[in-house]
Amino acid sequence: MTGQSYTKALDRELQSFGFARAGKDWTRVRGDTWDCVSLQKSRVDGGVTVNLYAKDLETERILKSIACDAVLGIRLFGPRIGELIDGRDRWWKNDPNGPAEVADAVRVYGIPWFDRIQSLEDQASHWYFRSATAQPWRKPNLTALAVTLYRLAAIDEALALFEAPVPKTANPTLVAEGRCVQRWLRDQKRAG
């Protein structure tokens, strides 16, 4: 089956859930939440898979309003559809049933993944790993977690994220972004 067949199958399925297509991506906005289903084609063997992404538009708006030399925003994240099916990465190639299987998988596993996030608390926990004990400076969406905590009126918890020592191997861009958000949070707390 061609990539176009996968595109058509996903287009039919996702339109019923309010998604609009742009190229190989289908997006929808529900309140402040932006959802995206992205069809990915392998450069190696021509197989296809689906990636799911989501972000909070108000959190992103706040991030983009923070003065910083770096461009602040939310890094897209989310699982591949196979991770939701059985925890394995799945690719479809030369499978006559592939388009229908992919569309069904998105309906059965992907749409519920989007729907399980209903609050800022859910976002902090599931999207940004609020309770994870991992080094905060290694979280690619540390700044989004901090702004989400700010929105939850947990400004001290947000500021505490930046108190951990910065590892020598930390991404310099993430550190620069984090310091901008840390300054902004301190200003918000003083103004509070």
Side-chain angles (χ1 to χ4, degrees):
M1 286 287 149
T2 66
Q4 186 62 28
S5 295
Y6 287 92
T7 302
K8 286 181 181 178
L10 282 170
D11 203 39
R12 280 191 301 271
E13 190 66 53
L14 290 169
Q15 282 182 8
S16 65
F17 291 101
F19 286 83
R21 180 176 162 224
K24 299 289 184 189
D25 293 335
W26 290 262
T27 60
R28 70 177 177 185
V29 174
R30 298 174 300 140
D32 284 337
T33 304
W34 175 87
D35 301 327
C36 178
V37 175
S38 182
L39 182 65
Q40 179 183 349
K41 185 174 181 181
S42 170
R43 293 181 201 169
V44 177
D45 66 7
V48 298
T49 192
V50 171
N51 301 296
L52 306 173
Y53 305 112
K55 64 182 173 180
D56 186 285
L57 297 172
E58 178 61 14
T59 297
E60 184 167 65
R61 185 198 64 75
I62 292 169
L63 277 168
K64 288 182 175 187
S65 75
I66 296 172
C68 191
D69 289 339
V71 177
L72 295 175
I74 296 175
R75 287 173 175 80
L76 293 180
F77 72 95
R80 282 205 174 127
I81 196 67
E83 293 172 44
L84 299 176
I85 295 169
D86 60 10
R88 298 180 310 137
D89 195 11
R90 283 184 181 237
W91 292 79
W92 286 262
K93 181 182 177 201
N94 297 329
D95 181 350
N97 297 322
E101 287 177 13
V102 168
D104 285 345
V106 168
R107 179 180 41 78
V108 172
Y109 299 99
I111 299 302
W113 181 80
F114 291 120
D115 291 341
R116 77 178 180 161
I117 305 301
Q118 299 294 320
S119 66
L120 288 172
E121 288 88 354
D122 292 341
Q123 291 176 23
S125 296
H126 297 289
W127 290 356
Y128 308 130
F129 311 105
R130 179 183 192 178
S131 62
T133 58
Q135 169 57 251
W137 288 105
R138 297 200 188 283
K139 294 181 181 185
N141 270 314
L142 173 63
T143 56
L145 173 58
V147 170
T148 301
L149 292 172
Y150 165 78
R151 292 180 64 200
L152 287 166
I155 197 165
D156 289 330
E157 183 182 350
L159 282 164
L161 294 170
F162 302 103
E163 292 173 3
V166 178
K168 291 178 183 177
T169 57
N171 181 320
T173 301
L174 297 180
V175 174
E177 292 171 359
R179 293 302 183 211
C180 291
V181 172
Q182 181 184 33
R183 282 190 295 277
W184 179 81
L185 286 167
R186 285 180 181 153
D187 291 346
Q188 298 307 303
K189 185 172 180 175
R190 279 193 290 271

